[in-house]
Each structure stands twice: as structure tokens, then as C-alpha cells.
Amino acid sequence: MKRALSAREEQSFKVRDSLLKACGELMVLQPIDAITINEIVERAGVGKGSFYNHFPDKLALATTVSNAILADVEVIVQDCNKNVTDPAYRVVRGMCTHMQMAVSEPQRATIMIRGHDWATSDSHPLYKNVSEDISKGIDSGRFAKRCEDVGILQIVGTGSFCMIRIIERQLSPQEAIELAIKAFSLTLYGFGLSEEEAVRIVTDSAHDIIKG
């Protein structure tokens, strides 16, 4: 049986949630670097002192907001890849899942992209999942050995760029599929697959995952 929260604990959770929500709303409009703590607390309706009770700075808050969304997406990625064993399909389906979010939930995708910690931290779960797929691809001979050091950067960088392109240009699902085929086929080609196979894998994955 869970312990009932005290009034102070309940208030603390409410303040934290208000800060997270306010930060997310502001990050839809502009990067965290352009947002002040005063703007965050004003939108959240809390005192500035309350902010520092929960977060050391605005970057930590932005990272928390972004990581929560990324965690949701990664659950979807793992579900999409549940019965998929081919590393090539797995990495592409993961990227396509992120693109699907950019198509269907552009505001949440914008918030996730603007939280930079997940894109630079070697310890982030995203890197662990992708790294495992790359290692399996190299061990099985599907991927070239050169992918070992920069494969993650290639995948994350290409995926992030495609999401930004979808959001900024408000691409339709079909346009997003066409972008995925061009961008991710090039990625797989660089990983050592033939151009024909790369196009086939990305085409199958993009049509299966990227929808309206």
C-alpha cells in the first residue's frame, strides 16, 4: 500500500509539474537559451525560489522535459522493434518512429529536439539501444567496421535533421516518407549495405511507420 503524500509533498509535486509544463510550452516557441527563468516561473505561477528547490538551472529543467518525451518515444521504438532482429531494419525503424512523431505531434517533437542533453550524453538510453544494434550489425557482418565509432552520430544526427525539416516545412506524411527514403538509405549505404537493399529496407519501414 502506497504511503499517502503529505500536504507539503503534494504541493512540491504540483510546483514541479507546473514548472515542467510551463517550460515545455515555452520551448515550443523558442530554444531554452532564449527563455529566462523569470518567464518560466511567471508562466508556471510559482515563485522564483521554488524553481531552485527543484532544478539547479533552466538547462536541467529543459533536459528533464525533453527526456520525458524521448522516453515515451523510445517505448514506442522498442515496441515497433519487438519482433525485428535485423539491425538494419531496427535502426531505420527507430529513426522512422521519431519522424512519425514529428509528423503527428510537431510540438512535442520540437520540445524533444530542443532538449540537447539526450543528443550529447553518451550515457543516455537512446545511445545504449542504438549502440547495441550497431554492435550486432558489425558482429554479424551487416554493417561495416567503420560504424563502430561514428555510427551513433550518423543515426542521431540524420534523424534529428529530418525531424527538424518535417516540423519547419510542415511536411505531409508522404513527403516525410520520401525524405526518410532519401536520408536513411544514404545512412545504410554508408553503413555498408548495397544501395538497392538500403532503399528497400527504408521504403518498407517508412511506409509501415510514418503515417498521418
Side-chain angles (χ1 to χ4, degrees):
M1 184 175 179
K2 290 185 177 180
R3 178 180 65 84
L5 296 177
S6 68
R8 175 175 291 184
E9 289 172 326
E10 199 169 302
Q11 178 61 24
S12 178
F13 278 117
K14 287 181 178 179
V15 169
R16 189 176 188 276
D17 285 344
S18 295
L19 289 169
L20 293 170
K21 181 180 178 182
C23 184
E25 291 172 351
L26 290 170
M27 286 172 68
V28 171
L29 305 175
Q30 54 191 339
I32 190 62
D33 291 344
I35 302 170
T36 66
I37 291 178
N38 285 338
E39 289 174 320
I40 295 172
V41 297
E42 181 178 349
R43 194 178 190 94
V46 303
K48 195 169 184 177
S50 297
F51 177 95
Y52 291 106
N53 288 335
H54 294 275
F55 301 98
D57 52 48
K58 64 180 183 180
L59 294 179
L61 171 58
T63 297
T64 301
V65 174
S66 174
N67 281 350
I69 298 174
L70 178 61
D72 290 341
V73 180
E74 283 304 296
V75 169
I76 299 173
V77 170
Q78 294 308 306
D79 186 59
C80 285
N81 282 335
K82 186 190 304 185
N83 298 314
V84 180
T85 57
D86 185 346
Y89 267 100
R90 287 181 61 85
V91 296
V92 170
R93 288 174 67 84
M95 289 191 287
C96 286
T97 300
H98 282 76
M99 288 185 70
Q100 162 60 20
M101 180 187 185
V103 170
S104 62
E105 299 182 89
Q107 291 191 345
R108 292 190 80 213
T110 297
I111 296 170
M112 189 182 78
I113 291 170
R114 286 177 170 169
H116 300 294
D117 180 72
W118 67 268
T120 57
S121 173
D122 290 339
S123 62
H124 199 285
L126 173 64
Y127 278 88
K128 178 178 181 296
N129 297 330
V130 176
S131 180
E132 288 177 355
D133 288 332
I134 292 176
S135 294
K136 290 178 181 178
I138 294 173
D139 292 342
S140 65
R142 287 289 276 156
F143 298 157
K145 181 70 174 177
R146 61 176 175 267
C147 300
E148 190 170 33
D149 295 326
V150 297
I152 292 177
L153 296 178
Q154 182 70 33
I155 291 172
V156 176
T158 302
S160 299
F161 171 80
C162 287
M163 290 178 70
I164 292 170
R165 175 68 65 88
I166 290 170
I167 295 167
E168 290 183 343
R169 300 192 180 184
Q170 299 181 337
L171 299 187
S172 67
Q174 182 56 42
E175 290 171 328
I177 289 172
E178 293 170 1
L179 174 61
I181 294 172
K182 292 178 182 178
F184 301 159
S185 294
L186 187 60
T187 298
L188 288 185
Y189 183 67
F191 276 25
L193 277 69
S194 69
E195 183 175 358
E196 181 181 358
E197 185 179 21
V199 171
R200 175 176 57 79
I201 290 174
V202 181
T203 300
D204 289 347
S205 301
H207 281 285
D208 182 38
I209 294 174
I210 303 174
K211 303 169 184 176

